[in-house]
Amino acid sequence: FSRALSFTLCKHFIPQHSSSPWPERILNNPTEAVRIGQRGKDGAPIITFPEFAGFSEIPDDDFLNVVTYLTSIPSLEAASIGFIIIIDRRRDKWSAVKASLTRIAGAFPGNLQLVFVLRPSRFIQRAIADIGIKLYRDDFKMKVPIIMLNSVSDLHGYIDKSQLTRELGGTLEYGHSQWIHHRTAIENFAMTVKTTAQMLQSFGTDLAETELPNDVQCTEELLSSHTEHHSKLKDELKLAVKQGATLLTCIREPVTRSANSKLSPDELENVATVERLLAQLDETEKAFDQFWTKHHLKLEQCLQLRHFEHDFREVKLTLDNLMETQAGFTDIGDSVTRVENLLKEQKHLEEKGQEPLEKAQSLALHGEQLIQNNHYAVDSIRPKCVELRRICDDFTNETKKKYDILGKSLELHKQLDKASQWCEAGIYLLASQAVDKCQSQEGAETALVEIEKFLVTAKEHQLSNPKEIVQKLEDVQEMFDKRQVSLKKLAAKQTRPVQPVAPHPESSPKRASPKITRPPAVGSHIINELIETERVYVEELQSIIEGYASEMDNPNLVHLIPSALQNKKEVLFGNLPEIYYFHNRIFLKEIENCIENPELLARCFLKRKEDLQIYEKYCQNKPRSEALWRQCGDSIFFQECQRKLDHKLSLDAYLLKPVQRITKYQLLLKEMLKCSKNSEGTAELEEALATVLDIIKSVNDSMHQIAITGYEGDVSELGKLLMQGSFNVWTDHKKGHNKVKDLARFKPMQRHLFLYTKMLLFCKKREENTDGHEKTASYSFKNSLKMSTVGITENVKGDNKKFEIWYNGREEVYIIQASSVELKNTWISEIRKVLTGQLEACRGRAHRAAAGNAPLLSASQDPQ
């Protein structure tokens, strides 16, 4: 588009000399000083200098401009043949001939072929001219023949009459005013084309340099503004085209009016010029339309993206609240009534979640449609679609799991109630059997029948859990067994009478009927889940190493490995073997020891804090691994390995497992913390969660840090990376024109900041395509500030999300706007810690120097 709009008028221009486009006092004179339009027999353009009394009075600058303009009118092909000059001085003196030749020789800018001079007609002047031309020919410095002619009839021998005007004995119709009118119109049209092209080029440059907004409103305003500007420029183009078409019609008017008329070479030249300008205008318009189509599409896609991101934030917030509410439902009930109420609450939550879940699914589907339509921000849309579907699946699976647990709990409590009622009924039956009546055979048999009937119902209440109820059932069963033995003896053989006593049940075993309690604590469930998923994780790592990594060394499969993958095992798998060794040999065994003592889990994470840093190394290598997989992932080697392992997913899905695992630890620790609030071990769990979150932050920060480009120093020498993030940044310089320049920048710069203990880096985030796949972010270094020289202003008037970083007495100030007040406060806190640490270190050195009479800084110490 830029090449198409780099439009220059190589042949048609407006001379920049006097107040008029060209010396109209000469060209508009009734007796013209100079004219062009005829052609020689070989097509050479002819310039005629007719008799003109004031020729010598024309200023040199005006003469040069006119001749230069006239020589620029013919085509390059015609001009290359060489110009023919006719000087008519039949009524003049030799001195006029000499002056004309001298002026033309000194000022003519074109390529000359011949010079014809119609010599003075008076006898004396003709004789003088003959002598003069012989004497002064060399003085004229013309490298072409100068042919002196006595009459126009002599001229007709060289040039056809049809190319000569009437004063030279020719038949060519020439209207000087019409010629000027046409040339003026052509020059105006050429200037219109040039101006239009420049406007298009300026607008195209503005479009190319426009940074896409980050919100819906600004994007809509930008799209509207650009569309309006585009419409105005299209109107200008239409007017220019209309102007050219009208001009072309005017030039062709003689031919249109009369079929016998023919255009002169000069008019044909004008037609070609206008047609060429119209063609250039059409080419420019096509290039502009093509560029606008792409830019307009990108703006529309940007607006789609901003709507998608806005909807994603709203839906994500709703889903997160939903998941948080669901996570709070940890109670499984201690009675039938309580469990039934919990099921109603769960049902209400499920119904409440239907609308946001449908919105999330719809939004994910919309995102996938954007991806299928080749949206430029695929790398931003796809993770959000995956996140939405993951949350929906998590909520659905968790809901199903809750229903399953509560259903089992309800069934269990119903059985417990029945078992408890059976026990109480049995005890009452034994207590109601009068002992005195049982002393007779008939009474004993009657009581025995009642007991046997009751015992038949015992099978309906056989439970395997919980132990307390089973024990109580066994106790009651034992009581009935003893009563049966006694009654059978009485029924078989009568003994001496027994003194009647008040009826009472036989003594039960000394074990008291325990109170029915709840199933095991939720904390144990989380521990079990952690251990089970850890075992699966270890097995998956083992399958990857044995089924893929080791197979790369298998000589039987070497021929299936692409050349790009040769000797790249460490790039593809990173330090995955190290991760597998740690989890298989160490971490899994340690958390398995926590199954009986959940409170020990936090200590495992705290103890292995340093070992878990291996995930940072793995994630730093992940971009290289993904690039290699995109290049070789479709190879037969990987397909064969996947077939042998009977994996449903390809290798790249399993290479994401370490990243997912470290996130899983975070979620499980949060669940443990919710279940253990205000109990022993809560502090250690909080510390363990903070450790995992710190590891995740370090991994995330390191992934951003390795994408810094253009920084000439070594980032490893800048100290620990404390924070990183994107901000709006304004600068305010106190020196001269810089202040005016920066204050004029009302639009903020988009900068990604990296805070180290020694330096603050300002970078510009860029997104680049990688071989047609998802875009990857990089950070182009722009500026840096030493932390030993800066100060901060925590609050900026008018915006509670802004703060300032400055140095050298506020000579240069960076106004930084965070996306939220919380983010701003976090950064200010970290910066304050750095500055406070530097101050304390400086005071410490001063104290040691004063105590030991030593310098504050030794040669080996860093002044930062």
Side-chain angles (χ1 to χ4, degrees), residues 329-359:
F329 282 177
T330 57
D331 189 5
I332 61 174
D334 55 2
S335 67
V336 173
T337 303
R338 176 58 180 159
V339 175
E340 288 176 343
N341 289 334
L342 289 174
L343 282 169
K344 290 180 181 178
E345 292 176 7
Q346 183 63 41
K347 182 66 175 178
H348 175 71
L349 179 63
E350 182 184 24
E351 292 173 351
K352 181 181 177 182
Q354 286 304 309
E355 183 178 352
L357 286 176
E358 291 174 357
K359 286 184 179 179

Short mmCIF file of all heavy atoms in Angstrom, two decimals, residues 329-359:
data_model
loop_
_atom_site.label_atom_id
_atom_site.label_comp_id
_atom_site.label_asym_id
_atom_site.label_seq_id
_atom_site.Cartn_x
_atom_site.Cartn_y
_atom_site.Cartn_z
N PHE A 329 -19.95 -26.17 50.33
CA PHE A 329 -20.86 -27.24 50.73
C PHE A 329 -20.06 -28.50 51.08
O PHE A 329 -19.97 -29.44 50.30
CB PHE A 329 -21.85 -27.56 49.61
CG PHE A 329 -22.98 -26.58 49.48
CD1 PHE A 329 -23.91 -26.70 48.46
CD2 PHE A 329 -23.13 -25.54 50.37
CE1 PHE A 329 -24.96 -25.79 48.34
CE2 PHE A 329 -24.15 -24.63 50.26
CZ PHE A 329 -25.08 -24.75 49.23
N THR A 330 -19.46 -28.50 52.24
CA THR A 330 -18.66 -29.66 52.67
C THR A 330 -19.40 -30.56 53.64
O THR A 330 -18.98 -31.69 53.90
CB THR A 330 -17.36 -29.17 53.33
OG1 THR A 330 -17.69 -28.32 54.44
CG2 THR A 330 -16.51 -28.39 52.33
N ASP A 331 -20.52 -30.08 54.17
CA ASP A 331 -21.29 -30.85 55.15
C ASP A 331 -22.02 -32.00 54.45
O ASP A 331 -22.61 -31.81 53.38
CB ASP A 331 -22.29 -29.93 55.84
CG ASP A 331 -22.97 -30.61 57.02
OD1 ASP A 331 -22.59 -31.75 57.37
OD2 ASP A 331 -23.89 -29.99 57.60
N ILE A 332 -21.95 -33.20 55.01
CA ILE A 332 -22.67 -34.34 54.43
C ILE A 332 -23.84 -34.77 55.32
O ILE A 332 -24.49 -35.77 55.05
CB ILE A 332 -21.72 -35.53 54.19
CG1 ILE A 332 -21.10 -36.00 55.50
CG2 ILE A 332 -20.67 -35.17 53.17
CD1 ILE A 332 -20.26 -37.26 55.35
N GLY A 333 -24.11 -34.00 56.40
CA GLY A 333 -25.28 -34.24 57.24
C GLY A 333 -25.06 -35.26 58.33
O GLY A 333 -24.27 -36.18 58.19
N ASP A 334 -25.78 -35.06 59.45
CA ASP A 334 -25.70 -36.00 60.58
C ASP A 334 -27.05 -36.63 60.91
O ASP A 334 -27.22 -37.27 61.93
CB ASP A 334 -25.13 -35.29 61.82
CG ASP A 334 -25.92 -34.05 62.18
OD1 ASP A 334 -26.94 -33.76 61.50
OD2 ASP A 334 -25.52 -33.35 63.12
N SER A 335 -28.03 -36.38 60.02
CA SER A 335 -29.35 -36.99 60.21
C SER A 335 -30.06 -37.00 58.86
O SER A 335 -29.65 -36.32 57.92
CB SER A 335 -30.17 -36.21 61.23
OG SER A 335 -30.49 -34.92 60.73
N VAL A 336 -31.17 -37.76 58.80
CA VAL A 336 -31.94 -37.82 57.56
C VAL A 336 -32.47 -36.45 57.19
O VAL A 336 -32.37 -36.02 56.04
CB VAL A 336 -33.10 -38.84 57.70
CG1 VAL A 336 -34.01 -38.78 56.46
CG2 VAL A 336 -32.56 -40.24 57.88
N THR A 337 -33.00 -35.74 58.18
CA THR A 337 -33.57 -34.41 57.92
C THR A 337 -32.51 -33.45 57.39
O THR A 337 -32.73 -32.71 56.44
CB THR A 337 -34.20 -33.84 59.20
OG1 THR A 337 -35.19 -34.75 59.68
CG2 THR A 337 -34.83 -32.48 58.93
N ARG A 338 -31.31 -33.48 58.03
CA ARG A 338 -30.23 -32.58 57.61
C ARG A 338 -29.76 -32.89 56.19
O ARG A 338 -29.54 -31.99 55.38
CB ARG A 338 -29.06 -32.71 58.61
CG ARG A 338 -27.82 -31.90 58.23
CD ARG A 338 -28.13 -30.43 58.11
NE ARG A 338 -26.97 -29.66 57.75
CZ ARG A 338 -27.02 -28.46 57.20
NH1 ARG A 338 -28.19 -27.90 56.94
NH2 ARG A 338 -25.92 -27.81 56.90
N VAL A 339 -29.64 -34.17 55.87
CA VAL A 339 -29.18 -34.55 54.53
C VAL A 339 -30.21 -34.15 53.48
O VAL A 339 -29.85 -33.67 52.39
CB VAL A 339 -28.89 -36.07 54.46
CG1 VAL A 339 -28.52 -36.48 53.04
CG2 VAL A 339 -27.76 -36.44 55.41
N GLU A 340 -31.50 -34.33 53.80
CA GLU A 340 -32.54 -33.93 52.85
C GLU A 340 -32.51 -32.43 52.59
O GLU A 340 -32.70 -31.97 51.46
CB GLU A 340 -33.91 -34.35 53.38
CG GLU A 340 -34.13 -35.86 53.32
CD GLU A 340 -35.45 -36.28 53.95
OE1 GLU A 340 -36.04 -35.46 54.70
OE2 GLU A 340 -35.88 -37.41 53.70
N ASN A 341 -32.26 -31.64 53.66
CA ASN A 341 -32.13 -30.19 53.48
C ASN A 341 -30.91 -29.85 52.62
O ASN A 341 -30.96 -28.93 51.79
CB ASN A 341 -32.03 -29.50 54.83
CG ASN A 341 -33.35 -29.51 55.59
OD1 ASN A 341 -34.42 -29.58 54.97
ND2 ASN A 341 -33.28 -29.46 56.91
N LEU A 342 -29.82 -30.58 52.85
CA LEU A 342 -28.61 -30.34 52.05
C LEU A 342 -28.86 -30.68 50.58
O LEU A 342 -28.36 -29.98 49.68
CB LEU A 342 -27.45 -31.19 52.58
CG LEU A 342 -26.85 -30.76 53.93
CD1 LEU A 342 -25.81 -31.77 54.40
CD2 LEU A 342 -26.22 -29.37 53.81
N LEU A 343 -29.62 -31.72 50.32
CA LEU A 343 -29.95 -32.06 48.93
C LEU A 343 -30.79 -30.96 48.28
O LEU A 343 -30.61 -30.65 47.09
CB LEU A 343 -30.70 -33.40 48.89
CG LEU A 343 -29.84 -34.66 49.06
CD1 LEU A 343 -30.72 -35.87 49.28
CD2 LEU A 343 -28.95 -34.85 47.82
N LYS A 344 -31.71 -30.36 49.03
CA LYS A 344 -32.51 -29.26 48.50
C LYS A 344 -31.62 -28.05 48.18
O LYS A 344 -31.80 -27.40 47.15
CB LYS A 344 -33.58 -28.87 49.52
CG LYS A 344 -34.69 -29.90 49.68
CD LYS A 344 -35.71 -29.44 50.71
CE LYS A 344 -36.81 -30.50 50.90
NZ LYS A 344 -37.80 -30.08 51.93
N GLU A 345 -30.67 -27.76 49.09
CA GLU A 345 -29.74 -26.65 48.85
C GLU A 345 -28.89 -26.91 47.61
O GLU A 345 -28.62 -26.00 46.81
CB GLU A 345 -28.85 -26.44 50.08
CG GLU A 345 -29.60 -25.94 51.30
CD GLU A 345 -28.71 -25.83 52.52
OE1 GLU A 345 -27.47 -26.03 52.37
OE2 GLU A 345 -29.23 -25.59 53.60
N GLN A 346 -28.43 -28.16 47.47
CA GLN A 346 -27.63 -28.52 46.29
C GLN A 346 -28.45 -28.38 45.01
O GLN A 346 -27.95 -27.91 43.98
CB GLN A 346 -27.11 -29.96 46.44
CG GLN A 346 -26.19 -30.41 45.32
CD GLN A 346 -24.93 -29.59 45.24
OE1 GLN A 346 -24.33 -29.24 46.25
NE2 GLN A 346 -24.51 -29.27 44.03
N LYS A 347 -29.72 -28.78 45.07
CA LYS A 347 -30.61 -28.66 43.92
C LYS A 347 -30.81 -27.19 43.56
O LYS A 347 -30.79 -26.82 42.36
CB LYS A 347 -31.95 -29.32 44.24
CG LYS A 347 -32.96 -29.29 43.10
CD LYS A 347 -32.50 -30.13 41.93
CE LYS A 347 -33.55 -30.21 40.84
NZ LYS A 347 -33.09 -30.98 39.66
N HIS A 348 -30.98 -26.36 44.57
CA HIS A 348 -31.15 -24.92 44.34
C HIS A 348 -29.89 -24.33 43.69
O HIS A 348 -29.98 -23.52 42.76
CB HIS A 348 -31.45 -24.22 45.66
CG HIS A 348 -31.54 -22.71 45.53
ND1 HIS A 348 -32.58 -22.08 44.89
CD2 HIS A 348 -30.67 -21.74 45.96
CE1 HIS A 348 -32.37 -20.77 44.93
NE2 HIS A 348 -31.23 -20.54 45.56
N LEU A 349 -28.72 -24.73 44.18
CA LEU A 349 -27.46 -24.24 43.60
C LEU A 349 -27.32 -24.70 42.15
O LEU A 349 -26.86 -23.94 41.29
CB LEU A 349 -26.28 -24.74 44.44
CG LEU A 349 -24.89 -24.32 43.94
CD1 LEU A 349 -24.75 -22.80 43.99
CD2 LEU A 349 -23.79 -24.97 44.78
N GLU A 350 -27.73 -25.94 41.88
CA GLU A 350 -27.64 -26.46 40.51
C GLU A 350 -28.54 -25.66 39.57
O GLU A 350 -28.14 -25.31 38.45
CB GLU A 350 -28.02 -27.93 40.49
CG GLU A 350 -27.90 -28.57 39.10
CD GLU A 350 -28.38 -30.00 39.12
OE1 GLU A 350 -29.18 -30.36 40.01
OE2 GLU A 350 -27.96 -30.78 38.24
N GLU A 351 -29.75 -25.36 40.03
CA GLU A 351 -30.67 -24.57 39.22
C GLU A 351 -30.16 -23.14 39.02
O GLU A 351 -30.28 -22.57 37.94
CB GLU A 351 -32.05 -24.54 39.88
CG GLU A 351 -32.75 -25.90 39.89
CD GLU A 351 -34.03 -25.89 40.69
OE1 GLU A 351 -34.28 -24.88 41.40
OE2 GLU A 351 -34.77 -26.88 40.64
N LYS A 352 -29.58 -22.61 40.09
CA LYS A 352 -29.02 -21.26 40.01
C LYS A 352 -27.86 -21.21 39.02
O LYS A 352 -27.63 -20.18 38.37
CB LYS A 352 -28.53 -20.84 41.41
CG LYS A 352 -27.94 -19.44 41.45
CD LYS A 352 -27.47 -19.11 42.86
CE LYS A 352 -26.80 -17.75 42.92
NZ LYS A 352 -26.29 -17.45 44.28
N GLY A 353 -27.13 -22.30 38.88
CA GLY A 353 -25.96 -22.33 38.00
C GLY A 353 -26.28 -22.61 36.55
O GLY A 353 -25.39 -22.51 35.70
N GLN A 354 -27.52 -22.98 36.24
CA GLN A 354 -27.84 -23.33 34.86
C GLN A 354 -27.64 -22.16 33.90
O GLN A 354 -27.07 -22.31 32.82
CB GLN A 354 -29.29 -23.84 34.78
CG GLN A 354 -29.50 -25.24 35.33
CD GLN A 354 -28.59 -26.25 34.65
OE1 GLN A 354 -28.52 -26.34 33.43
NE2 GLN A 354 -27.88 -27.01 35.47
N GLU A 355 -28.12 -20.98 34.28
CA GLU A 355 -28.02 -19.82 33.39
C GLU A 355 -26.56 -19.44 33.13
O GLU A 355 -26.16 -19.30 31.96
CB GLU A 355 -28.80 -18.65 33.95
CG GLU A 355 -28.79 -17.42 33.03
CD GLU A 355 -29.61 -16.28 33.59
OE1 GLU A 355 -30.29 -16.50 34.61
OE2 GLU A 355 -29.57 -15.18 33.01
N PRO A 356 -25.73 -19.24 34.17
CA PRO A 356 -24.32 -18.91 33.89
C PRO A 356 -23.59 -20.03 33.15
O PRO A 356 -22.70 -19.75 32.33
CB PRO A 356 -23.72 -18.66 35.28
CG PRO A 356 -24.68 -19.25 36.25
CD PRO A 356 -26.02 -19.17 35.63
N LEU A 357 -23.95 -21.27 33.41
CA LEU A 357 -23.31 -22.37 32.69
C LEU A 357 -23.67 -22.33 31.21
O LEU A 357 -22.81 -22.55 30.34
CB LEU A 357 -23.72 -23.72 33.28
CG LEU A 357 -23.08 -24.11 34.63
CD1 LEU A 357 -23.67 -25.41 35.13
CD2 LEU A 357 -21.57 -24.22 34.51
N GLU A 358 -24.93 -22.04 30.91
CA GLU A 358 -25.34 -21.93 29.51
C GLU A 358 -24.65 -20.75 28.84
O GLU A 358 -24.23 -20.84 27.67
CB GLU A 358 -26.86 -21.77 29.43
CG GLU A 358 -27.63 -23.04 29.82
CD GLU A 358 -29.13 -22.81 29.86
OE1 GLU A 358 -29.57 -21.66 29.64
OE2 GLU A 358 -29.86 -23.78 30.13
N LYS A 359 -24.52 -19.63 29.57
CA LYS A 359 -23.80 -18.48 29.02
C LYS A 359 -22.34 -18.83 28.75
O LYS A 359 -21.77 -18.44 27.72
CB LYS A 359 -23.88 -17.31 30.00
CG LYS A 359 -25.23 -16.62 30.05
CD LYS A 359 -25.19 -15.41 30.97
CE LYS A 359 -26.54 -14.70 31.00
NZ LYS A 359 -26.51 -13.52 31.90
#
